[in-house]
Amino acid sequence: MRVTVDPDKCCGAGQCVLVAPEVFDQRDEDGIVVLLDAAPPADRHEAVREAAAICPAAAIEVDA
Amino acid sequence: MTTTSAEAPQPLPVQPPPGCPFDPPEGLGRLRLEEPLSRISLPDGSRAWLATRYADVRAILGDRRFSSDTTSPGYPRSGMTGGAPVDGAARGFIRMDPPDHTRLRRMVTRDFMVKRVEALRPTLQRITDELCDAMAATDPAEHPVDLVEALALPLPSLAISLLLGVPYDDHELFQRLTGTLLSREKSEEERRTARAELVAYLDALVRAKRERPGDDILSRLATEQQDAGELGHEDVVAFAALLLIAGHETTANMIGLSALTLMLDPETAGRLRDDPSLIRGATEELLRFHSIIRNGPRRAATEDVEVGGRLIRAGEGVVVAVPAANRDGATFEDPDRLDVCRPNAQHHVAFGYGIHQCLGQALARAELQVVIGTLLRLFPTMRPAVPLDEIPFRTDMAIHGCHALPVTW
Ligand code: HEM
Ligand code: SF4
């Protein structure tokens, strides 16, 4: 799985951080998404897909 | 306006069916089935679209061709509460579009981000414990306690006051004013006066912060941003008004309704008490189930956009029905059942969707989780002190909840 985030789209709602804290975080200076792990292990795929599904700004893309 | 039907369309449904205070406003369910994008008439006689299906609500709120700017042509302003019909910077970024919305929201996003809120959790717990201790010290057999006054309102009020740097001693003033602002039964005139009073209060407060800054959001905005020339004094006052109004009645009402729901459902309460790890999911389900925002969100189409098979034309207004979307059976199985283990509860749109999705959602969630856990632990026998039909529900307000919640234990 490849994950990408688009910080320009992100509105910092933090839903991704709640769902997959090992993969997403928020920048200290402005609260915008930071990707911690662009190729997360299999046991995190479901959480990452959930994060992409509920991200209000469609800022998370998941490949495969 | 494009559609002209012989009869004037219905107003926005706002009242739950008699005797069913936890149901969505009556009529929304039928509309979702029969006419998911329907026409409604607003109090001033103007028309707007009403979206009731989950998919359509997400499509509208997630599409930037729908404007949040109350000055956009066709924006459905009539019947809005919150003192909305103001122009200029004073309307706050909730009623703006990018790029202004993006620029302003990003100035305060970090203050509400997940890890900031997690760091605040011990403080939220301490405030909750103190409020609960004060309740426990009274004799409910003698005087039932009003849970709204004793806990549901003070916690979010204290929390947002602390973050913003608003002296809590002034809370009676701003609680009265925000109460007026959010009431559907007050006239537009009364709401305007309340808004002016609140702005005057915050105006003086922001000036005081510039003189003697503290460690809080308003001080930072008043000094750093204003000095960097990014924000004017008026902008900072608008931030204060938006965060104060948005940040306290909403959570207060969710706390009241959540506590009441669990008191009336001892089996679910017992499950959460035995396994507090379920509280997080339960909070999402309670947000979905109660969907307290009843008067919007609202948007104006800036281009012709097709949604759910209907063409919404540029310059037409849209009202989104959160309670209907969150009870849509196409997304939520057995939608009218409160299921604290519902796997997709967090897909709810109780905080909206798109770039305006609630900025304070992590804070609201943490407050709810702390209160639910603490009440279950400290007051296992808490119950309403009056029958359900004597609890005053806020059917007159833009935010659903109860005005008072007398409890005993
Ligand atoms: C359970 C409690 C809450 C609910 C149900 C709620 C609901 C909402 C909803 C539906 C919106 C979207 C409005 C739109 O799209 O036009 C919103 C926006 C907003 N909320 Fe909340 N809210 C809650 C608590 C809070 C708290 C605690 C704060 C704290 C500051 C807050 C601050 C805001 C702000 C600033 C916005 C505007 C965001 C923007 O326009 O970008 N809310 N809220
Ligand atoms: S859920 Fe989406 S909008 Fe929210 S912080 Fe994550 S990437 Fe940003």
Side-chain angles (χ1 to χ4, degrees):
Chain A
M1 171 185 272
R2 297 292 309 170
V3 187
T4 49
V5 294
D6 184 345
D8 289 338
K9 281 189 184 168
C10 169
C11 65
Q15 298 245 44
C16 55
V17 185
L18 291 177
V19 174
E22 307 86 357
V23 181
F24 304 100
D25 195 3
Q26 287 166 286
R27 292 200 295 238
D28 285 333
E29 61 279 18
D30 60 6
I32 296 306
V33 65
V34 202
L35 189 58
L36 300 175
D37 187 353
D43 61 342
R44 297 193 176 140
H45 289 186
E46 200 188 322
V48 171
R49 281 200 195 90
E50 174 75 355
I54 60 176
C55 169
I60 301 172
E61 285 213 38
V62 178
D63 229 344
Chain B
M1 299 286 116
T2 47
T3 35
T4 39
S5 75
E7 47 194 304
Q10 295 295 309
L12 173 69
V14 289
Q15 298 273 9
C20 308
F22 300 144
D23 280 10
E26 198 167 13
L28 287 180
R30 191 185 50 78
L31 283 174
R32 189 183 51 227
L33 264 178
E34 293 173 5
E35 217 191 335
L37 270 155
S38 55
R39 300 292 284 169
I40 52 168
S41 51
L42 301 176
D44 70 352
S46 62
R47 308 282 162 91
W49 292 96
L50 177 67
T52 44
R53 253 193 326 221
Y54 178 86
D56 297 342
V57 164
R58 279 210 358 174
I60 291 163
L61 295 180
D63 186 332
R64 297 195 187 184
R65 290 172 296 175
F66 288 100
S67 165
S68 284
D69 185 341
T70 39
T71 62
S72 290
Y75 190 94
R77 288 158 66 136
S78 170
M80 280 178 89
T81 58
V86 282
D87 296 333
R91 67 191 191 274
F93 61 85
I94 193 170
R95 316 234 181 273
M96 294 180 189
D97 293 331
D100 289 336
H101 168 264
T102 320
R103 182 175 65 88
L104 295 169
R105 178 167 166 137
R106 286 194 174 195
M107 287 181 191
V108 286
T109 299
R110 64 171 148 154
D111 298 292
F112 297 93
M113 69 180 164
V114 172
K115 61 186 158 209
R116 199 58 72 79
V117 170
E118 285 313 313
L120 200 65
R121 204 180 270 264
T123 309
L124 299 174
Q125 185 65 59
R126 181 180 50 73
I127 298 172
T128 306
D129 288 343
E130 285 169 10
L131 294 167
C132 285
D133 286 349
M135 276 199 305
T138 62
D139 178 5
E142 221 159 276
H143 287 292
V145 167
D146 175 6
L147 195 68
V148 173
E149 201 190 320
L151 179 63
L153 205 47
L155 170 65
S157 223
L158 279 161
I160 194 68
S161 300
L162 190 77
L163 287 172
L164 285 177
V166 175
Y168 186 68
D169 290 345
D170 297 337
H171 77 284
E172 262 174 48
L173 174 86
F174 63 73
Q175 266 167 23
R176 177 174 58 78
L177 295 174
T178 51
T180 304
L181 281 174
L182 295 170
S183 171
R184 264 198 294 254
E185 293 198 335
K186 304 282 180 190
S187 67
E188 215 130 274
E189 190 54 44
E190 285 172 289
R191 289 206 290 265
R192 225 188 319 269
T193 312
R195 175 143 196 132
E197 222 182 303
L198 184 65
V199 167
Y201 166 75
L202 294 172
D203 186 273
L205 181 67
V206 171
R207 280 178 211 285
K209 294 281 172 196
R210 257 182 92 76
E211 303 274 302
R212 266 173 295 106
D215 182 16
D216 53 63
I217 299 177
L218 288 187
S219 295
R220 194 188 79 226
L221 293 173
T223 52
E224 284 174 34
Q225 314 270 19
Q226 228 171 306
D227 291 342
E230 289 173 33
L231 280 181
H233 173 74
E234 209 203 2
D235 297 308
V236 182
V237 174
F239 264 113
L242 170 58
L243 295 172
L244 202 57
I245 296 172
H248 94 267
E249 291 256 359
T250 41
T251 320
N253 284 297
M254 260 317 292
I255 292 175
L257 286 175
S258 304
L260 178 58
T261 318
L262 293 176
M263 285 186 251
L264 297 174
D265 184 352
E267 197 200 310
T268 302
R271 277 173 79 193
L272 301 183
R273 193 178 299 114
D274 294 344
D275 184 359
S277 74
L278 298 179
I279 290 176
R280 200 185 127 165
T283 302
E284 301 305 322
E285 176 66 349
L286 286 161
L287 284 159
R288 181 194 74 85
F289 187 76
H290 288 300
S291 298
I292 57 172
I293 304 293
R294 298 292 164 93
N295 207 28
R298 299 177 175 213
R299 299 290 187 265
T302 58
E303 290 174 32
D304 293 1
V305 186
E306 211 191 288
V307 179
R310 303 296 290 258
L311 186 66
I312 301 180
R313 293 202 181 272
E316 290 182 337
V318 186
V319 177
V320 154
V322 171
N326 278 342
R327 300 281 189 109
D328 187 339
T331 301
F332 302 105
E333 211 184 306
D334 198 359
D336 295 321
R337 200 168 80 87
L338 181 85
D339 172 5
V340 292
C341 294
R342 184 182 292 280
N344 68 344
Q346 205 174 336
H347 289 235
H348 66 72
V349 287
F351 289 124
Y353 187 75
I355 57 171
H356 288 273
Q357 193 181 61
C358 184
L359 175 74
Q361 55 184 285
L363 177 62
R365 286 181 163 115
E367 290 176 2
L368 274 162
Q369 291 160 4
V370 166
V371 169
I372 292 171
T374 310
L375 282 180
L376 288 171
R377 206 160 22 84
L378 298 183
F379 298 93
T381 60
M382 187 178 273
R383 58 195 180 276
V386 298
L388 190 60
D389 60 8
E390 283 175 30
I391 294 172
F393 284 95
R394 296 162 45 105
T395 48
D396 54 331
M397 308 296 273
I399 301 172
H400 190 54
C402 7
H403 286 294
L405 179 51
V407 294
T408 186
W409 56 86

